[in-house]
């Protein structure tokens, strides 16, 4: 198989407020796995066609501890129907092809494009940009009759995300978050004439990807307004670039959902013999040396004087959805550690 080393974002794992334990949550579906702690997404890995059985449903969980002599505990919370591993069939949208991926539409500074989006809880957008020129553009993701949010890029490194009806609502009725893409920002593939930018969005997060790497990840919470809402329409706007760009929409496959149930555990007996490891760092298990292959997104804001688009949002709030993760194994079980 294949192993991917990673580094957790935002300082890594933290203790609960009472300082008694560290709680790690693992949320896995057929298209991604996320590691969460204290409400933060610390690592997200998307699965593609080359990721083998990572996309398959789990039927068994096994544990292995390399370093720690006390007792730990594990539980399973399921919010999906285990009846089938076959994806639900979704009718193709007017802007995508199930065989060829996203159908691309040209747009420019003087010829913006508006595309209808089939409402879907998992949204994926693809933008093609020139390799040699800096482009300043914006994508509006609108709801039913109002703007939900926008994603704006000033160049290959900097941009912002606007959430309508979010936070203090002191910026056009919502909140803007400036960001800087990790690493060297957007890059062209070797030998390619265009730069491919992917944007993945659901009600919990938005990620900006390029060349298979997540360059920026923003998690949505209860204060993020309409950023958590489903998109019905996409509109483009170009501030700086006189040539043509292109955009496409590709909807991810849905997995049937059921109402989240109460937590159930497969641990054979209650943990009573020894306490959970303390939070001073002495009891944490490690299986690999310090990883260096995964870039760390940053959220260092850069002030801008960006002209805002024509839509003026109105205030409201959206309650936060609860994430119900499925724990998964993080190391392959063996009998002799390397």
């Amino acid at each position: 198989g294949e192993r991917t080393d990673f580094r957790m974002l935002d300082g890594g794992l933290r203790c609960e407020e009472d300082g008694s334990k560290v709680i790690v949550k693992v949320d896995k579906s057929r298209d991604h796995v996320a590691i969460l702690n204290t409400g933060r997404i610390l690592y997200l890995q998307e699965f593609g066609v080359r990721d083998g059985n990572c996309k398959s449903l789990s039927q068994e969980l096994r544990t292995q501890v390399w370093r720690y002599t006390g007792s730990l505990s594990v539980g399973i919370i399921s919010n999906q129907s285990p009846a089938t591993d076959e994806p639900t069939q979704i009718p193709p949208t007017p802007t995508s092809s199930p065989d060829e991926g996203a159908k691309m539409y040209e747009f420019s500074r003087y010829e913006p494009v508006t595309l209808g989006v089939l409402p879907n809880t998992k949204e994926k957008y693809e933008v093609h940009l020139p390799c040699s020129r800096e482009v300043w553009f914006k994508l509006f993701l609108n709801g039913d009759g109002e703007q939900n949010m926008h994603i704006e890029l000033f160049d290959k490194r900097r941009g912002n995300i606007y959430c309508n009806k979010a936070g203090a609502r002191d910026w056009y009725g919502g909140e803007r978050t400036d960001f800087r893409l990790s690493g060297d920002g957007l890059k062209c593939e070797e030998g390619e004439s265009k730069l491919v930018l992917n944007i993945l969005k659901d009600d919990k997060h938005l990620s900006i990807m390029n060349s298979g790497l997540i360059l920026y990840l923003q998690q949505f919470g209860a204060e993020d307004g309409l950023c958590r809402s489903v998109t019905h329409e996409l509109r483009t706007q170009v501030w700086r670039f006189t040539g043509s760009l292109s955009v496409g929409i590709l909807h991810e496959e849905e997995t049937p959902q059921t109402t989240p149930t109460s937590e159930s555990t497969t641990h054979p007996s209650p943990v009573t013999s020894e306490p959970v490891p303390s939070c001073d760092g002495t009891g944490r298990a490690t299986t690999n040396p310090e990883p260096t292959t995964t870039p760390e997104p940053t959220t260092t804001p850069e002030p801008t004087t960006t002209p805002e688009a024509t839509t003026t949002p109105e205030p409201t709030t959206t309650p936060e959805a609860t994430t119900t993760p499925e724990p998964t194994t993080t190391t392959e079980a063996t009998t002799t550690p390397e």
Side-chain angles (χ1 to χ4, degrees), residues 6-18:
F6 64 85
R7 180 187 292 274
M8 295 187 190
L9 305 177
D10 198 20
L13 300 176
R14 298 177 186 170
C15 275
E16 296 298 301
E17 290 185 359
D18 61 7

Side-chain angles (χ1 to χ4, degrees), residues 267-273:
H267 199 278
S269 61
V271 178
T272 56
S273 57

Side-chain angles (χ1 to χ4, degrees), residues 122-172:
K122 297 178 182 178
E123 305 168 24
K124 183 175 181 179
Y125 306 98
E126 185 168 299
V127 183
H128 293 176
L129 308 172
C131 290
S132 58
R133 297 284 303 276
E134 295 287 1
V135 179
W136 178 5
F137 76 100
K138 184 184 294 188
L139 296 181
F140 295 93
L141 303 184
N142 299 329
D144 189 8
E146 62 181 333
Q147 180 184 347
N148 286 347
M149 65 178 299
H150 80 229
I151 303 105
E152 183 170 23
L153 282 173
F154 306 123
D155 48 40
K156 292 183 174 69
R157 294 293 302 276
R158 302 171 302 121
N160 69 67
I161 290 175
Y162 166 76
C163 294
N164 189 10
K165 303 182 180 179
R169 302 178 189 176
D170 54 1
W171 200 79
Y172 290 88

